Amino acid sequence: MLPRKKGRREVELLGGVAVTLVSALVVSIFLASSIDKFLVSSNQYATVLATVLVDLANGDRAQNSLRTLTMNPVLVAAAQAKADDMAAKGYFAHVSPQGVDPWHWFKEAGYAFDYAGENLAVDFSDSGDVERAWMNSPTHRENILNPHFTEIGIATAEGTFQGRPTTFVVQAFGTPSSSDKQSPVVAVNIPQSPTETALAISAPIAVLGESQEPAAPAPKTVVLGTSVGDAPVKTLAQEAAAGPTPDYAPLWAHIATAPRSMLQYTYWIVALFVILALGVTTGFEIRVHHTRKAIAAGIMLSFILIMFLAANAFVFTSPVLTPSASMAAVAGAP
């Protein structure tokens, strides 16, 4: 009975049937992730994706002891208008080929602000990839972790860029204006490359890091961590204590909008199972008569690696960022 039991265990774990089943599972995971990637990039998933990206941004702010951002439908509309414009005209930049700057879309949506910012990305395929790319870029990270921002809006649009179909992502930040009237925007420095971020500050506040001739009345310089007028800026601890982080997207949405991450994690689990099966069938010993088992495990692990590399090469794309439009200022009303 022992040899037969041992034989059954070998067939179940590392026999030809096991190799076939694992290979079929790996292919099925590949196909499911590929389909999910194209679903996520469709207009039907746009709202789900936006809420997931908001949660990821708020998660990064919470880790840095910053107040979380509230999702504002007006900012969503501004971001959507900008995304639709890029998709329709096939450009990827803070300033359109017609010379329309980022703050035009805020005004069109009816969002008057004291502070505003914009992050862009293209070639989206995984929500986690986009957020990591933004956070790994110093200028985009500054927008996400800017303590002055209180609200956020994110939108996506499907279009064509450089001859290929792609997904445009726009992340808009803002702090509502303390007055009812929005002053006109005067760009101080908006780089042509969209891999940098755009930032606007409402007058009479001077742009941080920029020198301006004093006007009447003279603009007040803002230094992070100090006060603006008579209203002190909250400390990071006070910002974090403002309340719990809101979750705009359910757990299934985070999973559904991260197909590359889910494929990677699932392949890791399958690979660990194969290694464990090899250890169990060999008694965690390396012997000459274990060669066939080691070869079977090697075939399965190699197939997993090949399918993962194929997914990265042909299915999933890394997000591309624009140089962020650095600083812009809002001119004081006459």
Side-chain angles (χ1 to χ4, degrees):
M1 289 296 292
L2 286 177
R4 289 171 55 190
K5 286 184 179 180
K6 183 177 180 181
R8 283 202 305 268
R9 183 178 65 187
E10 291 177 1
V11 169
E12 289 173 359
L13 294 181
L14 290 176
V17 175
V19 172
T20 301
L21 290 176
V22 170
S23 299
L25 176 61
V26 170
V27 172
S28 299
I29 296 170
F30 177 90
L31 294 176
S33 298
S34 301
I35 294 172
D36 190 26
K37 183 263 182 183
F38 291 109
L39 288 176
V40 169
S41 299
S42 67
N43 289 326
Q44 289 74 17
Y45 265 68
T47 301
V48 173
L49 171 60
T51 56
V52 170
L53 289 174
V54 170
D55 284 349
L56 293 176
N58 274 334
D60 289 327
R61 287 178 67 90
Q63 289 178 9
N64 287 272
S65 301
L66 289 169
R67 172 176 53 191
T68 55
L69 303 172
T70 302
M71 196 169 179
N72 186 314
V74 182
L75 272 181
V76 173
Q80 189 65 64
K82 174 60 178 286
D84 291 341
D85 191 65
M86 288 194 296
K89 298 174 182 175
Y91 73 94
F92 180 49
H94 290 288
V95 179
S96 76
Q98 292 73 33
V100 178
D101 66 28
W103 326 123
H104 166 81
W105 308 107
F106 287 77
K107 181 179 178 181
E108 286 293 302
Y111 189 87
F113 58 83
D114 285 337
Y115 296 90
E118 179 184 81
N119 283 351
L120 302 178
V122 73
D123 290 346
F124 160 84
S125 62
D126 185 287
S127 56
D129 286 350
V130 172
E131 184 66 16
R132 280 189 292 271
W134 277 333
M135 288 297 290
N136 288 335
S137 166
T139 54
H140 295 81
R141 180 185 177 92
E142 285 178 9
N143 264 356
I144 293 175
L145 301 183
N146 191 318
H148 287 293
F149 293 141
T150 61
E151 297 179 339
I152 189 173
I154 300 178
T156 66
E158 299 304 306
T160 302
F161 179 62
Q162 296 180 342
R164 68 182 186 278
T166 189
T167 302
F168 297 88
V169 186
V170 178
Q171 187 179 45
F173 303 92
T175 301
S177 175
S178 53
S179 63
D180 295 331
K181 184 178 180 180
Q182 176 67 62
S183 302
V185 176
V186 176
V188 174
N189 180 22
I190 301 181
Q192 294 299 314
S193 175
T195 57
E196 298 177 10
T197 57
L199 176 63
I201 303 174
S202 177
I205 300 169
V207 177
L208 303 184
E210 297 286 339
S211 60
Q212 296 182 350
E213 292 298 326
K220 299 176 181 179
T221 301
V222 179
V223 180
L224 300 185
T226 63
S227 61
V228 181
D230 297 327
V233 177
K234 292 182 179 180
T235 65
L236 296 183
Q238 289 172 326
E239 297 279 7
T245 303
D247 291 324
Y248 289 100
L251 178 61
W252 68 264
H254 284 263
I255 296 174
T257 59
R260 193 215 303 252
S261 300
M262 291 305 102
L263 178 139
Q264 179 179 351
Y265 295 146
T266 307
Y267 276 1
W268 271 113
I269 293 173
V270 175
L272 289 175
F273 173 80
V274 172
I275 294 172
L276 180 62
L278 177 62
V280 170
T281 57
T282 61
F284 296 95
E285 295 178 348
I286 303 299
R287 304 287 184 184
V288 175
H289 63 276
H290 294 154
T291 302
R292 285 196 342 184
K293 301 167 189 175
I295 291 175
I299 291 173
M300 288 185 278
L301 293 174
S302 298
F303 188 60
I304 292 171
L305 177 60
I306 290 171
M307 294 302 291
F308 178 72
L309 294 177
N312 280 337
F314 303 109
V315 178
F316 300 108
T317 55
S318 298
V320 176
L321 308 182
T322 56
S324 50
S326 61
M327 291 286 190
V330 181

